Amino acid sequence: MFVCIALGFGHVFYLPENALPRFIACLFFLGIGGANFAVYTLWLPEQYRTECRGSAFAFATSIGRFLAAGVTFLVGAGVAQMHTIGIPVALTSIAFLVGLALLPLAVETRGQELPA
């Protein structure tokens, strides 16, 4: 996702010739990278105990939407400041780098039983 967003909007978007086929190729791979979000509907509820599963699932799937609303305003401010849409959208790819940097801090649960 980081590479496709940064490359597609930060570079290919600004190519003077043959940009559209290359941009569409970036969007294709961006779609493949984003397809894993569909798995959350199946995987996420199983991470919580039965008595709080509904609330936890609703929170986990909705909190990102609140954050995304704020990022939308930041991208809009970037577009107003830079007078282009490519670079501000490309900068949103930094969120994926932050996620990768935080990954080593995650708790490994392989081989552990799920809570009852």
Side-chain angles (χ1 to χ4, degrees):
M1 295 286 286
F2 167 75
V3 171
C4 290
I5 293 172
L7 180 68
F9 287 93
H11 176 68
V12 175
F13 186 79
Y14 294 105
L15 290 176
E17 296 178 359
N18 298 321
L20 186 59
R22 292 177 182 158
F23 188 72
I24 296 296
C26 287
L27 291 179
F28 172 77
F29 288 108
L30 182 62
I32 290 175
N36 66 352
F37 291 114
V39 175
Y40 289 157
T41 305
L42 303 172
W43 168 77
L44 197 58
E46 297 300 322
Q47 304 305 307
Y48 304 104
R49 294 186 316 271
T50 303
E51 57 270 7
C52 72
R53 186 171 289 159
S55 298
F57 179 70
F59 174 79
T61 56
S62 297
I63 190 69
R65 292 183 174 124
F66 289 105
L67 295 172
V71 171
T72 300
F73 286 108
L74 288 175
V75 170
V79 170
Q81 183 71 28
M82 297 179 182
H83 305 290
T84 183
I85 195 170
I87 298 297
V89 172
L91 290 174
T92 64
S93 67
I94 294 171
F96 292 97
L97 285 182
V98 171
L100 287 173
L102 293 175
L103 199 55
L105 303 174
V107 176
E108 176 60 58
T109 58
R110 179 177 284 170
Q112 297 179 10
E113 284 190 37
L114 291 174

